[in-house]
Amino acid sequence: MTNKLKYFVGNWKMFGDFTSFKIIYKISQFNTNFSKFQRKYKIILCVPSTLIYFFESKMQSRLISLGAQNCHHHPSSGPFTGSISSSMLKKVGAEYVILGHSENRSEGETSLLIKKKIKSALSRNLGVIFCIGETQQEKKRGKTFSVLRNQIKKSIEKKSRLNKIIIAYEPVWAIGTGKVPKIDDLKKIFSFIKKEFKKIYKTKSLPTVLYGGSVNEVNVSMFSQISQIDGFLIGGASQSSKKFIDIIKNYYK
Ligand code: PGA
């Protein structure tokens, strides 16, 4: 485990209502005590857009940041029925937005569209949690590395504010399935993503890269042994305060 800042990001997906604030409250209470041990980590909860303002106004601690799970590519307002822009998210209190999630890619989001969304989010000073990952079929065909390279290259412009982008490696076959990659594969993939990003964008420092896909309070101990992993994007398990808290506790055990 390195001393670098670690991220525990919750992706609530289509879950939650006003009463779900109790989840945030419990995580917040845990966090106030646990962070005294000087562990360097950050919690971001990406909740449905309908709840951001309510949660933001009830939250007392700044130790937890709120994020959204997608946005429209147009940054302000316009004739886009049912859509929410990055500036709208910013105004209700979001600090981050997840973009390129495979559940949205599977509904037709292309790399070109994701590129426009990333540009829009960055223009409104939102941090971007950019998801990449190969499908089961691509993995079988040995295409993992080329898929990841393409997803990065096609969605992030060279002149972007790269320090506002966090990459989340989420193999599509691991999301919500209980399956996770092998340690050796993860080490290779994380090194590849970091080196490739540095090469493409000619940056001095390595990017922050999270792992996502069936992370739970048990398997997190295995992931904690891989120093290249800078944190986690947690779906199902982030809908329970206990599971989410146990993930953080067990990571540092
Ligand atoms: P999961 O979801 O943890 O439920 O697999 C992860 C994600 O979709 O971000």
Side-chain angles (χ1 to χ4, degrees):
M1 211 180 289
T2 61
N3 214 15
K4 214 180 150 189
L5 181 70
K6 300 289 175 186
Y7 289 82
F8 294 90
V9 183
N11 172 12
W12 278 19
K13 309 194 181 199
M14 196 163 71
F15 162 84
D17 55 29
F18 290 154
T19 65
S20 316
F21 182 72
K22 61 179 182 289
I23 299 173
I24 300 191
Y25 181 76
K26 284 183 188 156
I27 295 172
S28 195
Q29 275 192 322
F30 154 78
N31 204 23
T32 313
N33 295 318
F34 198 68
S35 57
K36 282 187 198 132
F37 296 109
Q38 293 184 332
R39 266 112 189 200
K40 286 168 60 180
Y41 67 88
K42 184 169 176 58
I43 295 179
I44 304 166
L45 296 176
C46 297
V47 300
S49 302
T50 47
L51 298 174
I52 297 173
Y53 183 73
F54 176 72
F55 289 166
E56 164 69 17
S57 56
K58 286 195 71 136
M59 257 176 10
Q60 281 155 0
S61 138
R62 294 293 109 199
L63 292 170
I64 296 177
S65 298
L66 291 175
Q69 301 168 16
N70 204 351
C71 69
H72 193 267
H73 68 79
H74 191 289
S76 49
S77 53
F80 304 106
T81 305
S83 300
I84 298 175
S85 68
S86 47
S87 65
M88 289 165 146
L89 293 177
K90 185 80 188 174
K91 280 179 193 159
V92 291
E95 291 177 64
Y96 293 85
V97 60
I98 295 175
L99 292 173
H101 194 283
S102 65
E103 283 156 13
N104 297 319
R105 288 182 195 261
S106 71
E107 297 219 334
E109 259 191 17
T110 60
S111 287
L112 182 64
L113 183 60
I114 296 164
K115 183 183 194 170
K116 290 183 185 168
K117 291 185 177 197
I118 292 180
K119 195 173 173 186
S120 156
L122 294 176
S123 78
R124 294 303 182 264
N125 204 24
L126 286 169
V128 169
I129 298 156
F130 170 51
C131 302
I132 57 173
E134 82 285 2
T135 62
Q136 180 76 68
Q137 215 176 30
E138 288 162 341
K139 179 179 156 64
K140 265 192 196 153
R141 290 193 191 142
K143 291 203 174 341
T144 301
F145 293 105
S146 61
V147 166
L148 299 177
R149 181 190 294 114
N150 266 326
Q151 288 177 336
I152 296 172
K153 253 183 151 172
K154 288 187 177 165
S155 300
I156 304 176
E157 282 187 358
K158 289 233 160 104
K159 284 182 200 138
S160 304
R161 291 168 62 197
L162 299 169
N163 61 351
K164 295 283 286 182
I165 300 175
I166 294 171
I167 295 179
Y169 169 60
E170 296 206 307
V172 180
W173 51 269
I175 296 176
T177 59
K179 292 184 199 155
V180 294
K182 295 192 186 99
I183 291 197
D184 281 350
D185 288 346
L186 276 178
K187 283 183 182 165
K188 282 184 207 139
I189 291 169
F190 270 70
S191 298
F192 172 81
I193 295 171
K194 292 188 178 198
K195 281 192 197 134
E196 202 60 22
F197 188 92
K198 209 175 160 199
K199 202 164 88 191
I200 301 171
Y201 299 99
K202 301 189 172 59
T203 57
K204 284 195 195 103
S205 52
L206 293 170
T208 295
V209 187
L210 315 181
Y211 170 74
S214 295
V215 175
N216 62 35
E217 64 281 22
V218 178
N219 61 25
V220 72
S221 321
M222 171 188 95
F223 296 128
S224 69
Q225 288 156 31
I226 308 173
S227 62
Q228 293 105 313
I229 297 183
D230 300 313
F232 304 94
L233 181 54
I234 305 153
S238 72
Q239 298 171 359
S240 144
S241 54
K242 178 164 181 354
K243 286 184 182 166
F244 193 77
I245 290 168
D246 284 348
I247 287 173
I248 301 177
K249 277 190 193 162
N250 292 345
Y251 180 80
Y252 288 105
K253 240 183 197 168

